[in-house]
Amino acid sequence: MIQSKILIVDDESSILKLLRTVLHKEGFLFIDTAKTGEQAILACQSTKYDLILLDVMLPKQSGFEICPWLRKTTDAPILFLTARMGDFDKLTGFAVGGDDYITKPFNPLEVIARVRAHLRRYHNTSTIPNMNRIHTFRTFQVDEYAGELRVHDLSVDCPAQVFQLLLFLCQNPNRVFSKKQLYEHVWGEQSFSDDNTIMVHIHRIRERIEPNPSEPVYLITARGLGYKLIRESND
């Protein structure tokens, strides 16, 4: 039995039943469901979830609209369920606080793979032993144990997957990683690599740590190769 608590938000009863059945078969027994954004927000206020599956096309308020509200109460990975396949919709999902997306109609095996990958990364980040693992740069710090980003000594909100990508780069400063390598290391599923996912999360990191995100001095692009986080010897 897997102890992780999962919230599924979808207004289609058939989807809720399918996902509950698939997850139960894989050992996930702590599963709650909601059919509206309001129900999802109330659920997150009363229960600490480890992962949320969030449909985009909800009645009254869309998944994109309620995601920022959910982010006020949880840093758990949020995976959007969507029938939309355009890049703009995918980028919107990341911009409002989502960590990944699953396109309908979906393969149940893909859902399980993504859920397991995100839970693995989420729990690894939140259960790192206290070994004084604080990565200090000139203007910001990343605390592995506390799961906290501080910029100019002020705590900055950082969604789980954004924090995990930043943490991986902090653990490997001055090294260039391709988009594919970053996806494999942080998301953990080679077959689902997506350039847009990396690009959006890189942008979200820059918004938090860079003095001027449009002219990065820490998280820079190695043209044609990938990205690297610069750490000078006097940082």
PDB file of all heavy atoms in Angstrom, residues 77-94:
ATOM      1  N   PRO A  77       2.983  18.462  -6.495  1.00  0.00           N
ATOM      2  CA  PRO A  77       2.920  18.512  -7.955  1.00  0.00           C
ATOM      3  C   PRO A  77       1.473  18.554  -8.441  1.00  0.00           C
ATOM      4  O   PRO A  77       0.617  17.818  -7.941  1.00  0.00           O
ATOM      5  CB  PRO A  77       3.596  17.200  -8.380  1.00  0.00           C
ATOM      6  CG  PRO A  77       4.457  16.820  -7.230  1.00  0.00           C
ATOM      7  CD  PRO A  77       3.732  17.289  -6.010  1.00  0.00           C
ATOM      8  N   ILE A  78       1.202  19.428  -9.402  1.00  0.00           N
ATOM      9  CA  ILE A  78      -0.116  19.532 -10.021  1.00  0.00           C
ATOM     10  C   ILE A  78       0.008  19.129 -11.487  1.00  0.00           C
ATOM     11  O   ILE A  78       0.749  19.755 -12.248  1.00  0.00           O
ATOM     12  CB  ILE A  78      -0.695  20.947  -9.909  1.00  0.00           C
ATOM     13  CG1 ILE A  78      -0.922  21.315  -8.437  1.00  0.00           C
ATOM     14  CG2 ILE A  78      -2.000  21.068 -10.701  1.00  0.00           C
ATOM     15  CD1 ILE A  78      -1.427  22.731  -8.222  1.00  0.00           C
ATOM     16  N   LEU A  79      -0.696  18.057 -11.863  1.00  0.00           N
ATOM     17  CA  LEU A  79      -0.669  17.554 -13.232  1.00  0.00           C
ATOM     18  C   LEU A  79      -2.002  17.877 -13.892  1.00  0.00           C
ATOM     19  O   LEU A  79      -3.048  17.415 -13.438  1.00  0.00           O
ATOM     20  CB  LEU A  79      -0.430  16.040 -13.267  1.00  0.00           C
ATOM     21  CG  LEU A  79       0.991  15.530 -13.031  1.00  0.00           C
ATOM     22  CD1 LEU A  79       1.489  15.901 -11.635  1.00  0.00           C
ATOM     23  CD2 LEU A  79       1.057  14.023 -13.219  1.00  0.00           C
ATOM     24  N   PHE A  80      -1.965  18.679 -14.935  1.00  0.00           N
ATOM     25  CA  PHE A  80      -3.191  19.034 -15.635  1.00  0.00           C
ATOM     26  C   PHE A  80      -3.654  17.890 -16.535  1.00  0.00           C
ATOM     27  O   PHE A  80      -2.847  17.240 -17.203  1.00  0.00           O
ATOM     28  CB  PHE A  80      -2.980  20.281 -16.495  1.00  0.00           C
ATOM     29  CG  PHE A  80      -3.040  21.568 -15.734  1.00  0.00           C
ATOM     30  CD1 PHE A  80      -1.902  22.331 -15.558  1.00  0.00           C
ATOM     31  CD2 PHE A  80      -4.235  22.012 -15.179  1.00  0.00           C
ATOM     32  CE1 PHE A  80      -1.948  23.520 -14.853  1.00  0.00           C
ATOM     33  CE2 PHE A  80      -4.292  23.198 -14.467  1.00  0.00           C
ATOM     34  CZ  PHE A  80      -3.152  23.958 -14.304  1.00  0.00           C
ATOM     35  N   LEU A  81      -4.964  17.672 -16.527  1.00  0.00           N
ATOM     36  CA  LEU A  81      -5.603  16.759 -17.464  1.00  0.00           C
ATOM     37  C   LEU A  81      -6.298  17.634 -18.504  1.00  0.00           C
ATOM     38  O   LEU A  81      -7.140  18.463 -18.146  1.00  0.00           O
ATOM     39  CB  LEU A  81      -6.625  15.878 -16.764  1.00  0.00           C
ATOM     40  CG  LEU A  81      -6.107  15.007 -15.623  1.00  0.00           C
ATOM     41  CD1 LEU A  81      -7.279  14.338 -14.900  1.00  0.00           C
ATOM     42  CD2 LEU A  81      -5.149  13.943 -16.153  1.00  0.00           C
ATOM     43  N   THR A  82      -5.959  17.490 -19.780  1.00  0.00           N
ATOM     44  CA  THR A  82      -6.496  18.398 -20.772  1.00  0.00           C
ATOM     45  C   THR A  82      -6.701  17.741 -22.125  1.00  0.00           C
ATOM     46  O   THR A  82      -5.916  16.886 -22.537  1.00  0.00           O
ATOM     47  CB  THR A  82      -5.575  19.629 -20.942  1.00  0.00           C
ATOM     48  OG1 THR A  82      -6.073  20.458 -21.990  1.00  0.00           O
ATOM     49  CG2 THR A  82      -4.160  19.195 -21.290  1.00  0.00           C
ATOM     50  N   ALA A  83      -7.780  18.149 -22.797  1.00  0.00           N
ATOM     51  CA  ALA A  83      -8.016  17.712 -24.170  1.00  0.00           C
ATOM     52  C   ALA A  83      -7.396  18.689 -25.147  1.00  0.00           C
ATOM     53  O   ALA A  83      -7.391  18.456 -26.350  1.00  0.00           O
ATOM     54  CB  ALA A  83      -9.522  17.602 -24.429  1.00  0.00           C
ATOM     55  N   ARG A  84      -6.875  19.787 -24.626  1.00  0.00           N
ATOM     56  CA  ARG A  84      -6.227  20.792 -25.457  1.00  0.00           C
ATOM     57  C   ARG A  84      -4.803  20.365 -25.762  1.00  0.00           C
ATOM     58  O   ARG A  84      -4.068  19.976 -24.872  1.00  0.00           O
ATOM     59  CB  ARG A  84      -6.225  22.143 -24.760  1.00  0.00           C
ATOM     60  CG  ARG A  84      -7.617  22.681 -24.443  1.00  0.00           C
ATOM     61  CD  ARG A  84      -7.503  23.953 -23.626  1.00  0.00           C
ATOM     62  NE  ARG A  84      -8.797  24.583 -23.418  1.00  0.00           N
ATOM     63  CZ  ARG A  84      -8.965  25.702 -22.715  1.00  0.00           C
ATOM     64  NH1 ARG A  84      -7.937  26.299 -22.169  1.00  0.00           N
ATOM     65  NH2 ARG A  84     -10.171  26.212 -22.567  1.00  0.00           N
ATOM     66  N   MET A  85      -4.394  20.491 -27.014  1.00  0.00           N
ATOM     67  CA  MET A  85      -3.067  20.013 -27.397  1.00  0.00           C
ATOM     68  C   MET A  85      -2.156  21.136 -27.893  1.00  0.00           C
ATOM     69  O   MET A  85      -1.028  20.894 -28.293  1.00  0.00           O
ATOM     70  CB  MET A  85      -3.195  18.936 -28.483  1.00  0.00           C
ATOM     71  CG  MET A  85      -4.002  17.722 -28.045  1.00  0.00           C
ATOM     72  SD  MET A  85      -4.006  16.401 -29.263  1.00  0.00           S
ATOM     73  CE  MET A  85      -2.285  15.896 -29.234  1.00  0.00           C
ATOM     74  N   GLY A  86      -2.642  22.383 -27.896  1.00  0.00           N
ATOM     75  CA  GLY A  86      -1.834  23.487 -28.382  1.00  0.00           C
ATOM     76  C   GLY A  86      -0.740  23.875 -27.404  1.00  0.00           C
ATOM     77  O   GLY A  86      -0.899  23.752 -26.188  1.00  0.00           O
ATOM     78  N   ASP A  87       0.385  24.370 -27.930  1.00  0.00           N
ATOM     79  CA  ASP A  87       1.494  24.790 -27.075  1.00  0.00           C
ATOM     80  C   ASP A  87       1.087  25.923 -26.142  1.00  0.00           C
ATOM     81  O   ASP A  87       1.553  25.992 -25.001  1.00  0.00           O
ATOM     82  CB  ASP A  87       2.686  25.235 -27.937  1.00  0.00           C
ATOM     83  CG  ASP A  87       3.391  24.062 -28.590  1.00  0.00           C
ATOM     84  OD1 ASP A  87       3.183  22.925 -28.136  1.00  0.00           O
ATOM     85  OD2 ASP A  87       4.144  24.295 -29.552  1.00  0.00           O
ATOM     86  N   PHE A  88       0.205  26.816 -26.627  1.00  0.00           N
ATOM     87  CA  PHE A  88      -0.199  27.944 -25.791  1.00  0.00           C
ATOM     88  C   PHE A  88      -0.888  27.460 -24.519  1.00  0.00           C
ATOM     89  O   PHE A  88      -0.640  27.968 -23.424  1.00  0.00           O
ATOM     90  CB  PHE A  88      -1.141  28.876 -26.565  1.00  0.00           C
ATOM     91  CG  PHE A  88      -1.654  30.022 -25.735  1.00  0.00           C
ATOM     92  CD1 PHE A  88      -0.855  31.119 -25.452  1.00  0.00           C
ATOM     93  CD2 PHE A  88      -2.948  29.985 -25.198  1.00  0.00           C
ATOM     94  CE1 PHE A  88      -1.326  32.166 -24.668  1.00  0.00           C
ATOM     95  CE2 PHE A  88      -3.421  31.028 -24.418  1.00  0.00           C
ATOM     96  CZ  PHE A  88      -2.611  32.120 -24.154  1.00  0.00           C
ATOM     97  N   ASP A  89      -1.763  26.460 -24.663  1.00  0.00           N
ATOM     98  CA  ASP A  89      -2.469  25.933 -23.496  1.00  0.00           C
ATOM     99  C   ASP A  89      -1.503  25.250 -22.539  1.00  0.00           C
ATOM    100  O   ASP A  89      -1.628  25.369 -21.313  1.00  0.00           O
ATOM    101  CB  ASP A  89      -3.548  24.949 -23.937  1.00  0.00           C
ATOM    102  CG  ASP A  89      -4.655  25.634 -24.725  1.00  0.00           C
ATOM    103  OD1 ASP A  89      -5.211  26.613 -24.217  1.00  0.00           O
ATOM    104  OD2 ASP A  89      -4.932  25.207 -25.848  1.00  0.00           O
ATOM    105  N   LYS A  90      -0.537  24.525 -23.087  1.00  0.00           N
ATOM    106  CA  LYS A  90       0.450  23.860 -22.242  1.00  0.00           C
ATOM    107  C   LYS A  90       1.289  24.890 -21.476  1.00  0.00           C
ATOM    108  O   LYS A  90       1.531  24.742 -20.273  1.00  0.00           O
ATOM    109  CB  LYS A  90       1.343  22.966 -23.089  1.00  0.00           C
ATOM    110  CG  LYS A  90       0.602  21.814 -23.760  1.00  0.00           C
ATOM    111  CD  LYS A  90       1.520  21.037 -24.688  1.00  0.00           C
ATOM    112  CE  LYS A  90       0.778  19.913 -25.398  1.00  0.00           C
ATOM    113  NZ  LYS A  90       1.632  19.189 -26.363  1.00  0.00           N
ATOM    114  N   LEU A  91       1.707  25.929 -22.175  1.00  0.00           N
ATOM    115  CA  LEU A  91       2.512  26.964 -21.532  1.00  0.00           C
ATOM    116  C   LEU A  91       1.701  27.701 -20.465  1.00  0.00           C
ATOM    117  O   LEU A  91       2.231  28.074 -19.423  1.00  0.00           O
ATOM    118  CB  LEU A  91       3.030  27.948 -22.582  1.00  0.00           C
ATOM    119  CG  LEU A  91       4.004  27.370 -23.609  1.00  0.00           C
ATOM    120  CD1 LEU A  91       4.349  28.420 -24.665  1.00  0.00           C
ATOM    121  CD2 LEU A  91       5.273  26.882 -22.932  1.00  0.00           C
ATOM    122  N   THR A  92       0.413  27.897 -20.738  1.00  0.00           N
ATOM    123  CA  THR A  92      -0.457  28.530 -19.747  1.00  0.00           C
ATOM    124  C   THR A  92      -0.511  27.702 -18.470  1.00  0.00           C
ATOM    125  O   THR A  92      -0.446  28.231 -17.353  1.00  0.00           O
ATOM    126  CB  THR A  92      -1.880  28.703 -20.306  1.00  0.00           C
ATOM    127  OG1 THR A  92      -1.832  29.548 -21.462  1.00  0.00           O
ATOM    128  CG2 THR A  92      -2.808  29.327 -19.266  1.00  0.00           C
ATOM    129  N   GLY A  93      -0.619  26.384 -18.629  1.00  0.00           N
ATOM    130  CA  GLY A  93      -0.659  25.505 -17.472  1.00  0.00           C
ATOM    131  C   GLY A  93       0.573  25.623 -16.594  1.00  0.00           C
ATOM    132  O   GLY A  93       0.481  25.677 -15.363  1.00  0.00           O
ATOM    133  N   PHE A  94       1.743  25.687 -17.218  1.00  0.00           N
ATOM    134  CA  PHE A  94       2.974  25.850 -16.444  1.00  0.00           C
ATOM    135  C   PHE A  94       3.041  27.230 -15.803  1.00  0.00           C
ATOM    136  O   PHE A  94       3.480  27.375 -14.664  1.00  0.00           O
ATOM    137  CB  PHE A  94       4.194  25.645 -17.350  1.00  0.00           C
ATOM    138  CG  PHE A  94       4.386  24.227 -17.801  1.00  0.00           C
ATOM    139  CD1 PHE A  94       4.497  23.928 -19.146  1.00  0.00           C
ATOM    140  CD2 PHE A  94       4.446  23.187 -16.895  1.00  0.00           C
ATOM    141  CE1 PHE A  94       4.677  22.626 -19.574  1.00  0.00           C
ATOM    142  CE2 PHE A  94       4.622  21.882 -17.307  1.00  0.00           C
ATOM    143  CZ  PHE A  94       4.742  21.602 -18.654  1.00  0.00           C
TER     144      PHE A  94
END
